[in-house]
Amino acid sequence: MRFDIITAVPDLLHGLIGYSIPKRACDKGLAEIHIHNLHEYGIGKYRQIDDYPFGGGAGMVLMAEPLSNLIEKLKLEREYQHIIYMTPDGKTLDQSLSNRLSIGGNLIIICGHYKGIDQRIRDLYVDLEVSLGDFVLSGGEIAAAALVDAIVRLLPGVLGDEESALSDSFQDGLLAPPLYTRPSEFKGLKVPDVLTSGDHPKVALWRHEQSLERTQKLRPDLLADEQAD
Ligand code: ADE
């Protein structure tokens, strides 16, 4: 699966995506992440990419032309499942959206910066807008990195142990159960006996019960969502 991320701050994305699971996915040839520097598509001698908003107001707006030129170029080269714009206006990212995107095709992801992007790019090209939540980031880069990370860890073969993505929080609509590692006692707190019993069915049952309990306590809305489905 290929990701083409469009940004005015490529260094920020290299830092966020060049490590850990996304890097492993690329090293294994299971994902390709291409970071495009919008400045290279800037207009005129000064490679301008942003301008003042028509009608006035604070902040700059990413211009339509540099974005359009880059998007058109990419679209000529291959097919894309979606052209995504990261914005607080969008659909909130959750596990089910990540799952859906991980089984589709290539993605173009546009990171806004400054105030945002020219509306005509959204009207002409963007077919999915994704938000990290009801708060405003300084740009879409952190959000794009979160989206890419959430997707690549679901691609078959990326995680060493196939089970680990399946046992993530939310993957079955529940929060993950508590985890423990050595030592078996720490500052007077002992690991639950069941986890050291070696009885795997009993461990699985305990984990499921803990997941349910945790979800009920911390995120009862998730259980309500399931009943409504
Ligand atoms: N860009 C700025 N704020 C954002 C958010 N909350 N989610 C996604 N992209 C953003």
Side-chain angles (χ1 to χ4, degrees):
M1 176 169 182
R2 177 175 166 129
F3 301 84
D4 285 283
I5 310 178
I6 303 177
T7 171
V9 201
D11 287 348
L12 186 51
L13 269 168
H14 284 295
L16 288 167
I17 289 172
Y19 297 92
S20 186
I21 305 293
K23 177 170 185 320
R24 198 198 303 171
C26 295
D27 290 348
K28 285 185 170 177
L30 300 167
E32 274 183 53
I33 304 174
H34 297 265
I35 298 170
H36 301 274
N37 183 354
L38 191 60
H39 291 275
E40 289 173 14
Y41 296 80
I43 307 301
K45 192 167 146 206
Y46 297 106
R47 297 205 172 265
Q48 186 181 358
I49 58 165
D50 59 348
D51 210 336
Y52 294 99
F54 277 124
M60 303 292 271
V61 177
L62 289 180
M63 297 160 79
E65 200 177 337
L67 282 166
S68 166
N69 288 344
L70 175 50
I71 294 168
E72 294 280 354
K73 175 179 165 295
L74 291 170
K75 274 169 42 119
L76 278 178
E77 289 166 356
R78 67 194 62 75
E79 295 269 314
Y80 288 94
Q81 179 199 5
H82 288 295
I83 300 183
I84 298 174
Y85 174 46
M86 305 308 302
T87 164
D89 305 354
K91 177 178 165 45
T92 308
L93 180 61
D94 61 11
Q95 197 60 32
S96 105
L97 179 58
S98 306
N99 284 337
R100 184 163 74 67
L101 294 176
S102 76
I103 54 174
N106 304 323
L107 299 175
I108 292 178
I109 304 174
I110 305 169
C111 303
H113 220 79
Y114 316 112
K115 266 295 177 210
I117 65 175
D118 190 300
Q119 178 62 34
R120 288 161 294 188
I121 294 297
R122 296 166 82 166
D123 295 343
L124 286 169
Y125 300 108
V126 171
D127 64 351
L128 179 63
E129 300 196 330
V130 178
S131 168
L132 279 200
D134 290 344
F135 50 88
V136 177
L137 297 164
S138 309
E141 286 76 15
I142 292 171
L147 177 65
V148 171
D149 190 287
I151 295 171
V152 291
R153 65 199 313 286
L154 298 172
L155 299 176
V158 168
L159 296 182
D161 174 359
E162 288 290 4
E163 274 286 288
S164 33
L166 293 177
S167 59
D168 282 348
S169 277
F170 305 113
Q171 204 52 270
D172 54 3
L174 298 175
L175 300 182
L179 296 168
Y180 297 89
T181 185
R182 287 188 293 180
S184 58
E185 188 170 339
F186 179 70
K187 293 191 187 260
L189 298 180
K190 286 182 72 182
V191 170
D193 287 339
V194 59
L195 295 179
T196 51
S197 68
D199 184 338
H200 297 298
K202 226 164 116 187
V203 170
L205 183 64
W206 180 85
R207 285 191 167 141
H208 183 65
E209 286 166 359
Q210 290 289 316
S211 281
L212 271 173
E213 211 173 282
R214 210 174 236 203
T215 311
Q216 185 76 63
K217 192 166 156 213
L218 302 173
R219 292 291 307 276
D221 56 303
L222 293 176
L223 296 172
D225 286 353
E226 203 157 284
Q227 276 157 13
D229 284 344

